[in-house]
Amino acid sequence: MTQFDLTDDQLQIQEMARKFTADAISPHAAEWDEKHIFPRDTIREAAELGFGAIYVSEEAGGIGLGRLEAALIMEAMAYGCPSTSAFISIHNMAAWMIDRFGSAEVKQKYLPSMIPMERMGSYCLTEPSSGSDAAALKTKAVLDGDHYVVSGSKAFISGGGENEIYVTMARTGEEGPKGITALVVEKDMKGVSFGAQEKKLGWHSQPTAQVNFDEVRVPVANRVGAEGEGFRIAMMGLDGGRLNIGACSLGGAQRCLDESIKYTKDRKQFGNPIADFQATQFTLADMETELQAARCLLYVAAAKVTANAPDKTRFAAMAKRLATDTGSSVVDRALQLHGGYGYLMDYPIERFWRDLRVHSILEGTNQIMRVIVSRDLLRQ
């Protein structure tokens, strides 16, 4: 073993996630995509393995793993369905925020039902008018006795309309990041409503909708962290979310590379398997090289986030940018290698091509990842 190998425990976790994916996700993912099925039962089966609370502390009932182990799980599940894997990642981010920053009261109130994913969690930061400029959010929470009165809207929310719990960033004070507070809002609180389900290019196995708050009374006890700490908490959540979405890209791209190797060995043109042609061989070699490089950076970044290293945010941003760009590029070349068949829904490539495209947009666009990296470099 070298310092760059996974440990025996990590290999066992990876194998468990791969087996679950092969048995419970891969055989059904095409149908989920085609029919827009939200696979609640399968997601809850994942939670039975601990995948609903991967880095929630053991004291709170989670499995208390690190960010590398989480990335291994997300990568393995994305080999079957990136959309479903990413949905589970977002739930984990919401649960971790409650566990890491919530009071004993709010943890007891929500985590026992979130860990088995009886109740599922959404992360609500983005708004119709604030995407990359997240600190400009306009959703307000006005203190009124022992409640906050919340008004505003959140956009592109995974789980919107289906999930029961919404960890929501709202403005309680001044303009900018220091005036933002995190609150746990429940689906059935009076004044909570949802827009129509968004019609998306990909990610068909998970619901996405606008979440609206019309003077929703949220107990002060539902606050996560102190007033004014919401933006910092949200950004810390995104360090892990960026690793997971990068891992989802790695898993999806690995599936498409494996499919391409099989296809090019079987597909014959000009009397030979197309895998015998050097152009095909060079394409496969580049796909493998770039995928391995992105994977190495992502695993290093995951270790840094677990260790709370000073450069963790920069590494998470670099890893997310590289893994998601590389993943989409690998899948695009896989589609090209499959030719016209790659464009058909009879083969899985087009589904991964659609699912992975959004990964360079969400959890912070890849342009914002470059802003984060360059600011950190120039600050030194």
Side-chain angles (χ1 to χ4, degrees):
M1 177 178 282
T2 73
Q3 63 178 316
F4 300 109
D5 289 329
L6 298 177
T7 66
D8 288 343
D9 285 348
Q10 289 166 342
L11 289 168
Q12 287 175 7
I13 291 163
Q14 184 183 56
E15 181 55 33
M16 178 173 66
R18 285 175 172 173
K19 185 177 188 310
F20 174 75
T21 300
D23 293 343
I25 296 179
S26 296
H28 310 293
E31 182 185 13
W32 296 343
D33 173 73
E34 183 180 358
K35 298 180 180 177
H36 294 233
I37 294 169
F38 177 42
R40 268 186 182 271
D41 291 343
T42 303
I43 289 167
R44 286 183 175 137
E45 286 175 32
E48 290 174 13
L49 299 175
F51 296 170
I54 297 168
Y55 32 82
V56 169
S57 63
E58 291 182 278
E59 297 77 36
I63 58 175
L65 298 178
R67 299 312 176 108
L68 176 51
E69 290 81 7
L72 295 174
I73 292 166
M74 295 302 158
E75 183 179 355
M77 290 193 294
Y79 191 90
C81 181
S83 168
T84 303
S85 185
F87 178 88
I88 294 172
S89 164
I90 293 162
H91 169 87
N92 270 272
M93 183 160 58
W96 174 80
M97 289 168 68
I98 291 171
D99 179 46
R100 175 69 176 78
F101 298 101
S103 65
E105 181 182 350
V106 80
K107 286 196 273 191
Q108 183 56 39
K109 189 174 180 181
Y110 294 109
L111 290 178
S113 59
M114 291 183 76
I115 288 165
M117 296 185 79
E118 291 166 8
R119 291 199 287 178
M120 299 183 191
S122 292
Y123 172 94
C124 300
L125 176 64
T126 298
E127 297 185 359
S129 62
S130 62
S132 292
D133 187 11
L137 64 85
K138 291 182 168 55
T139 295
K140 287 190 175 179
V142 179
L143 191 60
D144 180 25
D146 58 359
H147 286 74
Y148 288 101
V149 180
V150 181
S151 296
S153 295
K154 298 292 179 178
F156 307 120
I157 302 304
S158 289
E162 289 282 347
N163 285 0
E164 294 79 14
I165 293 166
Y166 298 84
V167 179
T168 302
M169 272 47 75
R171 187 164 305 287
T172 53
E174 64 188 79
E175 293 297 309
K178 293 181 180 178
I180 295 169
T181 299
L183 302 170
V184 182
V185 182
E186 297 180 28
K187 177 182 182 179
D188 57 3
M189 286 178 172
K190 185 179 178 182
V192 176
S193 64
F194 305 94
Q197 286 297 314
E198 303 291 0
K199 297 175 182 178
K200 300 168 295 188
L201 175 70
W203 274 29
H204 291 165
S205 77
Q206 59 161 289
T208 306
Q210 183 164 304
V211 182
N212 305 308
F213 309 103
D214 182 10
E215 297 189 346
V216 180
R217 294 187 67 83
V218 180
V220 170
N222 279 25
R223 192 176 65 212
V224 177
E227 196 166 281
E229 285 189 345
F231 192 76
R232 181 179 70 87
I233 292 169
M235 293 302 103
M236 289 180 70
L238 282 177
D239 279 343
R242 286 164 182 161
L243 295 172
N244 287 349
I245 211 68
C248 288
S249 283
L250 296 177
Q254 186 65 56
R255 169 71 178 278
C256 291
L257 175 56
D258 292 348
E259 295 283 347
S260 297
I261 292 167
K262 287 188 289 185
Y263 179 83
T264 56
K265 285 180 175 179
D266 291 339
R267 173 70 169 168
K268 289 187 176 180
Q269 291 290 282
F270 306 102
N272 292 294
I274 61 173
D276 288 354
F277 300 123
Q278 195 174 59
T280 303
Q281 294 167 3
F282 281 13
T283 300
L284 292 171
D286 286 347
M287 291 160 74
E288 166 71 2
T289 302
E290 293 165 28
L291 197 52
Q292 291 290 1
R295 181 177 287 120
C296 286
L297 178 59
L298 189 120
Y299 287 6
V300 168
K304 284 179 176 286
V305 172
T306 299
N308 200 29
D311 54 2
K312 64 176 182 176
T313 297
R314 170 159 55 95
F315 268 79
M318 291 193 297
K320 189 267 184 184
R321 202 286 298 165
L322 185 64
T324 55
D325 280 349
T326 300
S328 288
S329 174
V330 166
V331 173
D332 191 65
R333 281 172 280 178
L335 198 154
Q336 191 70 20
L337 287 172
H338 279 73
Y341 292 108
Y343 202 69
L344 302 180
M345 293 179 73
D346 305 79
Y347 289 77
I349 307 301
E350 60 83 31
R351 170 167 60 87
F352 286 91
W353 189 89
R354 288 184 288 106
D355 279 349
L356 263 58
R357 180 61 184 86
V358 75
H359 294 187
S360 60
I361 298 171
L362 47 78
E363 312 285 33
T365 67
N366 285 7
Q367 288 70 34
I368 292 295
M369 295 307 97
R370 291 174 170 93
V371 170
I372 291 168
V373 173
S374 58
R375 277 182 181 168
D376 196 54
L377 291 173
L378 295 171
R379 191 181 294 125
Q380 295 174 12

